[in-house]
Amino acid sequence: MIDPVFFHVRLRQRDGLADLMTVIERFTPVVQPLAPAAAVAQVGGSLRLFGVGAFDLALRVRLQAAAWFGLHAFVGTGQSWTVAAMASARPNRGGVRVVEPEETEQFLGPLPVGELYGIRRVQAEQLRHLGVETIGQLAGLPAATVLQIPGRDGRALQERARGIDYRAIRPGQAAASLRLRADFPRDVLDGPYARTALLRLVVDLGALLRSRGQSAKTITVVVGMVDKRDLSRTRSLPSSSAHTVDLRQAAHGIFDSFGLQRARMRRITLIIEAVDGVQAHTQLTLDRLREARLRVEPVVDALNGRFGPGTVGPAAAFVSREVRI
């Protein structure tokens, strides 16, 4: 049996993912794009086929990406998806970082717990409150303490801290980036006008996701200020969703976190990282109001599909015609 060896390749630039996939697929068909600028691959069989080590194969990928497409790529290798991804974020001088299985604990252990691949900020803060500062300390926590970690399954998080990651690579299934922007004809303050525009963006993107059979994995809100600054924050959803109620809660939570008060805005942009429906999970709930809204969504989508976008929707989403979306 061939031991698993993972490559995680990340680009310095924000475009070029399709070209990167062309390079990696010359070495292995087991590769999954990670929008906007990364990919993960399983190369255990490729090492045996080409008769080279992980470093040499990673160097070939990096050099071909640069020679063919002018891409500046960093490659990390490891025994799991998590280890490879963390290695690619900490490349050596040659742009490649190889973490052998016996080096995993030494590599991960001293790193800050907040840098663990896939950990959320609230989880890192909770762990620091418990006195857990490093990934190595998380790996050694008692099982009862791990169960107190909020959000993602604490046991899975601890497994990642130990270099274990059971996620399977899904070749060809990319996360797509969808975005819409609302431009204001004049400077506006945080208030009903701006929040109505944000809700309209949520409604439109939610409908687009459902029409494509996709779900949102993360949401980013970008606020363009009058002084030409852009405020941007991203939030991961507890589970992938295309439901307007979930997208609205996340988007408004981000918007509230800015604390804009009297700051003047010129535009709001909403960006969603979408995954295919087969990668999404259905969240069970006993909330009757939420369930009622979910049952109404297909009806609303059908009416808007027949009579045009915006025919039916939340009353608060009908923004002034002056706002360009």
Side-chain angles (χ1 to χ4, degrees), residues 43-108:
V43 297
S46 303
L47 299 179
R48 184 173 179 179
L49 175 65
F50 291 98
V52 297
F55 178 83
D56 290 333
L57 189 66
L59 195 59
R60 291 186 189 185
V61 170
R62 188 169 188 269
L63 292 177
Q64 289 189 16
W68 293 1
F69 302 108
L71 301 177
H72 195 158
F74 302 104
V75 185
T77 83
Q79 66 183 21
S80 70
W81 184 330
T82 290
V83 176
M86 296 191 67
S88 71
R90 298 160 181 82
N92 290 324
R93 183 171 297 179
V96 175
R97 181 69 174 267
V98 177
V99 180
E100 300 291 350
E102 64 272 14
E103 299 171 343
T104 299
E105 183 178 351
Q106 180 182 359
F107 170 63
L108 294 178

Side-chain angles (χ1 to χ4, degrees), residues 79-195:
Q79 66 183 21
S80 70
W81 184 330
T82 290
V83 176
M86 296 191 67
S88 71
R90 298 160 181 82
N92 290 324
R93 183 171 297 179
V96 175
R97 181 69 174 267
V98 177
V99 180
E100 300 291 350
E102 64 272 14
E103 299 171 343
T104 299
E105 183 178 351
Q106 180 182 359
F107 170 63
L108 294 178
L111 297 176
V113 70
E115 295 183 16
L116 179 63
Y117 186 70
I119 196 171
R120 298 191 179 108
R121 183 173 57 183
V122 64
Q123 294 171 323
E125 291 175 352
Q126 176 71 14
L127 286 167
R128 283 191 285 266
H129 286 320
L130 295 173
V132 178
E133 297 290 342
T134 67
I135 293 176
Q137 290 174 329
L138 171 58
L141 281 181
T145 305
V146 170
L147 294 176
Q148 300 178 29
I149 302 174
R152 188 189 302 276
D153 187 341
R155 288 171 296 185
L157 209 59
Q158 187 179 54
E159 287 175 345
R160 291 191 183 188
R162 294 171 176 171
I164 302 169
D165 192 337
Y166 294 110
R167 286 177 299 166
I169 293 177
R170 296 184 172 91
Q173 291 190 357
S177 181
L178 307 177
R179 67 175 61 206
L180 282 178
R181 191 174 85 179
D183 292 299
F184 303 122
R186 53 184 176 274
D187 302 342
V188 301
L189 303 175
D190 180 8
Y193 190 76
R195 291 173 182 270

Side-chain angles (χ1 to χ4, degrees), residues 61-311:
V61 170
R62 188 169 188 269
L63 292 177
Q64 289 189 16
W68 293 1
F69 302 108
L71 301 177
H72 195 158
F74 302 104
V75 185
T77 83
Q79 66 183 21
S80 70
W81 184 330
T82 290
V83 176
M86 296 191 67
S88 71
R90 298 160 181 82
N92 290 324
R93 183 171 297 179
V96 175
R97 181 69 174 267
V98 177
V99 180
E100 300 291 350
E102 64 272 14
E103 299 171 343
T104 299
E105 183 178 351
Q106 180 182 359
F107 170 63
L108 294 178
L111 297 176
V113 70
E115 295 183 16
L116 179 63
Y117 186 70
I119 196 171
R120 298 191 179 108
R121 183 173 57 183
V122 64
Q123 294 171 323
E125 291 175 352
Q126 176 71 14
L127 286 167
R128 283 191 285 266
H129 286 320
L130 295 173
V132 178
E133 297 290 342
T134 67
I135 293 176
Q137 290 174 329
L138 171 58
L141 281 181
T145 305
V146 170
L147 294 176
Q148 300 178 29
I149 302 174
R152 188 189 302 276
D153 187 341
R155 288 171 296 185
L157 209 59
Q158 187 179 54
E159 287 175 345
R160 291 191 183 188
R162 294 171 176 171
I164 302 169
D165 192 337
Y166 294 110
R167 286 177 299 166
I169 293 177
R170 296 184 172 91
Q173 291 190 357
S177 181
L178 307 177
R179 67 175 61 206
L180 282 178
R181 191 174 85 179
D183 292 299
F184 303 122
R186 53 184 176 274
D187 302 342
V188 301
L189 303 175
D190 180 8
Y193 190 76
R195 291 173 182 270
T196 297
L198 178 60
L199 178 57
R200 180 58 185 272
L201 297 178
V202 168
V203 170
D204 289 349
L205 279 178
L208 180 59
L209 286 171
R210 294 190 294 273
S211 70
R212 294 184 173 189
Q214 294 179 316
S215 296
K217 180 180 178 182
T218 65
I219 290 183
T220 300
V221 177
V222 183
V223 179
M225 310 303 295
V226 68
D227 59 2
K228 298 184 179 181
R229 290 181 301 132
D230 281 337
L231 304 180
S232 175
R233 286 185 182 173
T234 301
R235 177 172 296 184
S236 296
L237 275 67
S239 60
S240 300
S241 175
H243 300 305
T244 300
V245 61
D246 298 328
L247 305 181
R248 178 176 58 191
Q249 182 178 8
H252 279 262
I254 297 172
F255 195 75
D256 289 339
S257 71
F258 288 129
L260 296 174
Q261 298 179 351
R262 302 297 296 176
R264 296 184 176 275
M265 295 171 280
R266 287 282 177 86
R267 73 190 65 85
I268 298 176
T269 304
L270 186 64
I271 306 170
I272 287 178
E273 182 183 351
V275 296
D276 294 337
V278 293
Q279 301 181 54
H281 304 282
T282 300
Q283 181 70 38
L284 299 177
T285 176
L286 299 178
D287 187 337
R288 293 185 177 181
L289 179 58
R290 171 186 166 84
E291 294 299 324
R293 288 171 173 167
L294 298 190
R295 286 196 296 270
V296 168
E297 268 186 352
V299 179
V300 172
D301 290 343
L303 290 171
N304 288 331
R306 181 173 182 180
F307 299 105
T311 301

